[in-house]
Amino acid sequence: MQTNFTAEQLADPHVAEAEAILRKCVHCGFCTATCPTYVTLGNELDSPRGRIYLIKDMLENGRPADDQIVTHIDRCLSCLACTTTCPSGVDYMHLVDHARIHIEKTYRRPLMNRLTRNMLAMVLPYPGRFRLALKLAALGRPFAGIFDQVKSLKPMAAMLRLAPSKVAPPSNFAKPAIHAPAATRRGRVAILTGCAQPVLDPGINEAAISLLTRLGVEVVVPQGEGCCGALVHHMGREEQALDSARRNVDVWTRASEAGGLDAIIVTTSGCGTTIKDYGHMLRLDPAYAEKAARVSALAKDVTEYLSTLDLPVAETKGLTVAYHSACSLQHGQKVTMAPKLLLKSAGFTVKDPPEGHLCCGSAGTYNIMQPEISARLKARKVKNIEATKPDIISAGNIGCMTQIGSATGIPVVHTVELLNWAYGGPRPKALDRRTAV
Ligand code: SF4
Ligand code: SF4
């Protein structure tokens, strides 16, 4: 794509990066076929190519964001299916990141939209606040229908409906600790506790730590770790996201200096995609660029790391698992085979649902901020998954698990919980939702 930025504009390294990305796009439109919003809405401006044109026009003319561009960029799920499809290697992820920062700096959102976004940014990254908010949401759920009547309050209704009816107590596994290996030592890792996942499902990291230590891996839950920053990053709140990244880089650098780390294990693939991008996010910060690049290189999805440990083939369980490949794992991190191969070795029959490349509509806070498109994607995803007639649905991202679990009676279980069970750990509690299992 031809671009016409001035030398002065290109002196800004962020604009220069955006320009280099834009120039790679050859307008072929292959990406439209796999873009969930284009497939759902059929509007070119809700396709990757359409958004790329809008971003080019805004940046090249150095103008503030307007209603049109905000509408179409807000509708983008950041699922990154377009980056998997694009034959020219267009780095849409960093282009849309830059567009979101520009929007945040130059556009004044309507009041309710602003308040909702502020509330999400102030609550979700903090487990204590999030836990309290979920308890309050359980009380407010009967009013969801009333909120649904007013367009600007629909996100509130979506939030109330998504909140679980019960919130588990805080897990001991979320506290700073060093979990010693329970077999001959073969590695040392840190694990991300994160923010929303330990509140919504503390059993996931409990299973990961339990399995890893039984396999001989020392697992460090470092003091001071927090939210990876993905949520605010996707809102274009750059400084807040970079602060989260710097804090975690410091924490993991200390953990590495204290005893070495073979990996930083992430059990929520949405967070994993962001942590693997810390090196890029902090590339212009001389105090952090190198450290952040080291942290990104160490970050591994739990299934990526487990694949290096040569787990034995387990006896068949006689259970069929539909593997839902989270966008952040398949498109963001390009981890596609490891979870399925591990599940097969662990004795499960694994099914790939049709249209596996399409997002389930969860996408961080998308299911709250864009409830209508999200609901359509969820219904399509669940129909495709149920068509495989599975006993269990497996996924590696709490957002997808919550989204899909809200629309099906089939238990949704994190991949690492199934692996932990297959290799001697307890049966995942979610399986109690279906008595036949
Ligand atoms: S597939 Fe790639 S090159 Fe083609 S229009 Fe989409 S982003 Fe541009
Ligand atoms: S990230 Fe997903 S929703 Fe956004 S343009 Fe790409 S394919 Fe479409």
Side-chain angles (χ1 to χ4, degrees), residues 24-32 48-49 52 82 85-88 90:
K24 278 196 160 186
C25 177
V26 295
H27 331 178
C28 65
F30 287 165
C31 52
T32 56
R49 183 173 59 182
I52 288 169
C82 47
T85 314
C86 176
S88 300
V90 171

Side-chain angles (χ1 to χ4, degrees), residues 2-58:
Q2 200 186 355
T3 58
N4 293 298
F5 288 88
T6 64
E8 196 187 349
Q9 285 175 311
L10 294 174
D12 176 341
H14 296 103
V15 177
E17 182 191 41
E19 194 241 10
I21 298 169
L22 289 166
R23 289 181 79 91
K24 278 196 160 186
C25 177
V26 295
H27 331 178
C28 65
F30 287 165
C31 52
T32 56
T34 57
C35 170
T37 52
Y38 182 75
V39 168
T40 305
L41 303 170
N43 180 346
E44 171 73 14
L45 294 181
D46 288 313
S47 77
R49 183 173 59 182
R51 293 185 176 112
I52 288 169
Y53 272 112
L54 288 173
I55 295 170
K56 172 184 184 290
D57 183 54
M58 173 176 74

